[in-house]
Amino acid sequence: MSTIDSAPTLLDIRGLSIQYGTGDESVIAADHLDIALKTGEIVALVGESGSGKSTLAKAIIGLLPESAKVLGGTIDLAGDNLLNHSAKELEAIRGRRIGMVPQDPGASLDPVKTVGSQVSEVFRLHPQGRKRTKAELRREVLRLLELVGIDRPEQRLGQYPHELSGGLKQRVLIAIAFALEPELLIADEPTSALDVTVQQTVLEVFTKLARELGTAVIFVTHDLAVATDIADRIVVMQHGRIREDRPVREILHAPEDAYTQMLLTEATATGKGAQTTGPEGAIEMPAIEVRGLTKIYGNGKAERAAVDNVSFAVRPGTTFSLVGESGSGKSTTARMIMRLLEPSAGTVKIHGQDVTHVRGAGKRDLWRSLQLVYQNPDSALDPRYSVSRIISEPLENYKVGSRNERKIRVAELLDAVNLPSRMASLGAKELSGGQRQRVAIARALALGAKTLVLDEALSALDVLTQAQILALLEDLQVNQGLSYLFISHDLHVVERISHDVGVMRQGTLVEVGPASQVFGNPSSEYTKLLLDSNPGQLLREMANR
């Protein structure tokens, strides 16, 4: 029997039901949920968007929105039913007994306060014992920063969040969450915005602290690979219900539920979407060709090359993926190709045409054939507009077709991205994340673009929705002859969709080649490091059996 098996139950949720809205507009977000969590146990909540994961997490910590209503059930923390507490009493519990690590470190830290003041704030909000002096607070904050592996902690105390990398910001949030050594910690997608090497380091810090302090953890994630790496147990949710609740290895080796099996199938479906070579003997003009592309910021001693002498080509009808850590130069390269950023040196050709220095009307002509699909469909679509207006907006801007012709074109595009025509009248807020990304793709294709730049276009989506959008992109590529430049830090997705891959590090291209070669026999030590850092070791073992 393991230590966890013999540990007492800390959190016991019984019959929890939660509803959003009222009457005909109501939705059951949690349907008679039963979950128990032992002291020191790490449980991963997995499922697609809308499965009820975040609703459950918010209910435990007492942060449900006003539109939510608890219909029944109990949430007992060491025998204390949290649903019986007032909002003021829950404020005292949050941070002290229940900690939280949020999803977006950039949005969760106050941009006008120093790191030191934000970490020490938790002790001011939850005073315990005698009041600490400034010197004692400083020592405690330094200890916490060292505990989560932040280098040069003395220097970091006076820095502001914008001066830290995404990984360092997430470590600061972990330090805050563990500061009062809570009994329970809720982590809501805490590494989804991080690249694989930073993600691995942050997860190692997170699990080390949880094990050492005996903290129970609910880890909310849509990434099954991360869940299998970090958790003792996995709880699979769908439509507000628990489909499966078992230890990690049991679920991986013998999933009992069909939905769990579907999640596992999609999570292990790597390298199946793309062929590595084009037609034999074909000599075709590249869809995108960059040579010696360089972007330099600053001057003199402050000069820094964000992109340094990068060269590659995207073969027509194929997918070329750029991968690398945050700050490697991927998105800067994409912005120069889109002509949203001026190169310092080098050339950009689109379908053989040199567009390196196009301006004004030249850019407008370029964007008819080359379009960008952004990372977050929520911020890329105007919430005031209907789906029909969002898709037809490029047609209106370029004065293409009559009103009736544009309406017909919108219907064609909705059909192309597998959305029903009735959605034309809906607003962006009424759509799921996957549906919004389909609308964004339809808008990108409205003017007849043959080449798309997809900048982290799947990173905000759960594994099943990712698989659906990947299948859509593959179908569109085959049926419409599209070419993709795919920017991503998710190696699982890259391996599945790519024909060719370029690996970037600190502004330079360290390796380029067919996807099968880069993933199967990498020549660069840095590529090997990225692959070794890729989450989901247990999943890969299962897939290779």
Side-chain angles (χ1 to χ4, degrees), residues 9-300:
T9 297
L10 174 70
L11 182 72
D12 194 8
I13 299 172
R14 293 290 163 222
L16 183 65
S17 294
I18 298 169
Q19 174 182 294
Y20 286 114
T22 57
D24 293 339
E25 301 297 319
S26 65
V27 175
I28 300 297
D31 191 0
H32 294 88
L33 301 182
D34 294 335
I35 300 176
L37 188 66
K38 293 179 178 292
T39 299
E41 187 177 23
I42 299 178
V43 171
L45 287 183
V46 302
E48 57 193 309
S49 300
S51 62
K53 308 185 303 292
S54 293
T55 295
L56 174 57
K58 288 173 183 174
I60 295 168
I61 205 164
L63 290 175
L64 283 171
E66 290 184 7
S67 60
K69 180 182 179 182
V70 178
L71 302 179
T74 58
I75 303 175
D76 284 349
L77 181 67
D80 182 12
N81 186 5
L82 299 176
L83 295 179
N84 291 336
H85 285 278
S86 67
K88 192 171 181 65
E89 288 170 334
L90 286 171
E91 282 181 14
I93 289 171
R94 285 195 293 270
R96 186 169 55 84
R97 297 187 66 193
I98 305 176
M100 186 164 189
V101 181
Q103 177 175 3
D104 186 352
S108 301
L109 292 171
D110 192 326
V112 299
K113 290 183 178 179
T114 64
V115 168
S117 67
Q118 294 190 64
V119 178
S120 62
E121 189 172 32
V122 71
F123 298 105
R124 292 193 291 270
L125 293 173
H126 298 279
Q128 294 176 312
R130 68 177 180 81
K131 187 177 180 180
R132 290 176 170 88
T133 66
K134 282 188 176 181
E136 288 172 331
L137 265 180
R138 179 183 172 83
R139 282 197 296 271
E140 183 62 17
V141 171
L142 284 172
R143 183 187 72 82
L144 286 167
L145 295 182
E146 289 172 354
L147 195 64
V148 296
I150 290 179
D151 64 329
R152 306 193 305 280
E154 292 267 0
Q155 178 186 338
R156 306 295 186 190
L157 285 180
Q159 289 184 322
Y160 291 88
H162 74 270
E163 298 178 85
L164 305 182
S165 67
L168 284 176
K169 281 187 276 204
Q170 196 60 285
R171 289 186 192 218
V172 171
L173 290 173
I174 292 172
I176 292 170
F178 278 104
L180 300 178
E181 299 187 8
E183 302 158 63
L184 173 66
L185 193 65
I186 296 173
D188 188 4
E189 301 275 9
T191 60
S192 63
L194 306 177
D195 55 70
V196 290
T197 51
V198 178
Q199 176 179 258
Q200 182 188 46
T201 306
V202 168
L203 287 176
E204 285 173 356
V205 168
F206 185 88
T207 50
K208 177 174 177 286
L209 282 175
R211 299 299 189 200
E212 287 179 356
L213 299 174
T215 305
V217 175
I218 292 179
F219 195 93
V220 182
T221 182
H222 67 256
D223 191 330
L224 197 57
V226 170
T228 57
D229 281 356
I230 195 174
D232 302 303
R233 222 170 80 226
I234 290 179
V235 175
V236 181
M237 294 188 67
Q238 185 192 30
H239 303 322
R241 295 184 177 180
I242 293 173
R243 302 296 296 260
E244 197 154 358
D245 179 357
R246 294 163 65 212
V248 169
R249 288 188 178 274
E250 287 184 21
I251 278 188
L252 288 182
H253 294 148
E256 294 177 350
D257 186 86
Y259 177 69
T260 308
Q261 179 62 62
M262 191 189 311
L263 286 178
L264 287 170
T265 300
E266 293 301 340
T268 55
T270 56
K272 297 176 182 176
Q275 300 298 315
T276 57
T277 58
E280 188 174 347
I283 300 175
E284 299 176 279
M285 186 178 293
I288 299 174
E289 185 178 13
V290 299
R291 288 286 172 260
L293 201 58
T294 300
K295 182 61 181 178
I296 295 173
Y297 290 105
N299 49 59

Side-chain angles (χ1 to χ4, degrees), residues 403-453:
R403 179 178 295 183
N404 190 54
E405 287 170 335
R406 289 197 289 266
K407 187 176 179 181
I408 293 170
R409 178 62 175 154
V410 168
E412 291 172 349
L413 290 162
L414 285 173
D415 182 60
V417 297
N418 298 327
L419 287 176
S421 58
R422 61 179 173 79
M423 285 193 172
S425 61
L426 298 180
K429 286 186 176 179
E430 299 176 82
L431 308 180
S432 69
Q435 289 168 339
R436 284 194 285 268
Q437 200 58 293
R438 288 174 188 266
V439 170
I441 292 169
R443 179 178 61 184
L445 297 174
L447 292 169
K450 288 298 181 183
T451 304
L452 299 184
V453 176

